[in-house]
Amino acid sequence: MSDVTTNAATERYPGYDVLNKRLSPSWNEATRRVIDARLAVPREARYLNALEWRTLSALCDRIMPQPRDRSPVPLAAYVDQKLLHDTRPGFRDAALPPQCDTWKNGLAVFEAEALARHDRSFHALPPELQESLMQEAADGNLGHAGWSAEQMQLFFNGHVLTDILSAYYAHPTAWSEIGFGGPASPRGYVRLQNDRRDPWEAIEATPGTVEKTRKENRHVR
């Protein structure tokens, strides 16, 4: 299991940790197996090479900056695992090669452009220069030998953004942050009307209620 065992309290759902549900009626054995496997993903590259890994990690840091007061969600590791197992969404744009080649080509373009323009690797650039190259990719203005600007735009908007953001919100740390209880099996959700919550759902803090909410959320199972 990874070293992510608790999540830092947030101001929106203070005191709430979705992993407290692990042995409660909210999660069954199938759910526990899935979440345990997700938490156990190695935090190093297994598919990408060292340079590609550093480029991907830099992209993750820019797209989804994370608080320093808790263990970060291993975004690069999740994307790398997706490539290792070649887990696909079931479709792809015909203008792009298969998923793994698309990622390798796209990362190579970021590195090549960083070296050509700034004589430094992408991961070594200051954040503002990284973001400038990323914006060009998103706008369809970044291409490099053999890889068109249109392909980079499709790669950035259809793979970089979606894969990194999906990785973040697949992790229990993010669930605690947004008050999500995890899979609905076996307990499910009963009170589906607006402004009503089931007892096993996190409580959202309002001004002046943070400490009270923190205490209540610690008992949410």
Side-chain angles (χ1 to χ4, degrees), residues 140-216:
N141 297 320
L142 186 70
H144 199 87
W147 193 247
S148 71
E150 178 191 9
Q151 288 174 308
M152 271 302 283
Q153 185 177 39
L154 291 171
F155 164 63
F156 187 80
N157 293 325
H159 288 270
V160 175
L161 291 178
T162 57
D163 286 358
I164 291 174
L165 292 174
S166 295
Y168 186 79
Y169 287 104
H171 195 280
T173 291
W175 297 354
S176 295
E177 189 175 66
I178 63 175
F180 178 50
S185 175
R187 178 171 262 172
Y189 298 100
V190 179
R191 299 171 183 171
L192 303 181
Q193 300 90 342
N194 290 336
D195 297 323
R196 296 193 67 194
R197 53 174 289 278
D198 291 308
W200 48 88
E201 291 186 274
I203 304 168
E204 185 172 1
T206 55
T209 70
V210 172
E211 287 309 314
K212 178 177 180 294
T213 304
R214 190 188 311 279
K215 293 177 182 178
E216 293 175 337

Side-chain angles (χ1 to χ4, degrees), residues 1-8 17 19 36 38-43 70-74 171 173:
M1 202 144 181
S2 82
D3 60 347
V4 180
T5 55
T6 59
N7 301 319
D17 184 352
L19 292 180
D36 287 352
R38 200 167 289 176
L39 292 172
V41 171
R43 297 189 174 217
R70 61 162 167 79
S71 296
V73 176
H171 195 280
T173 291

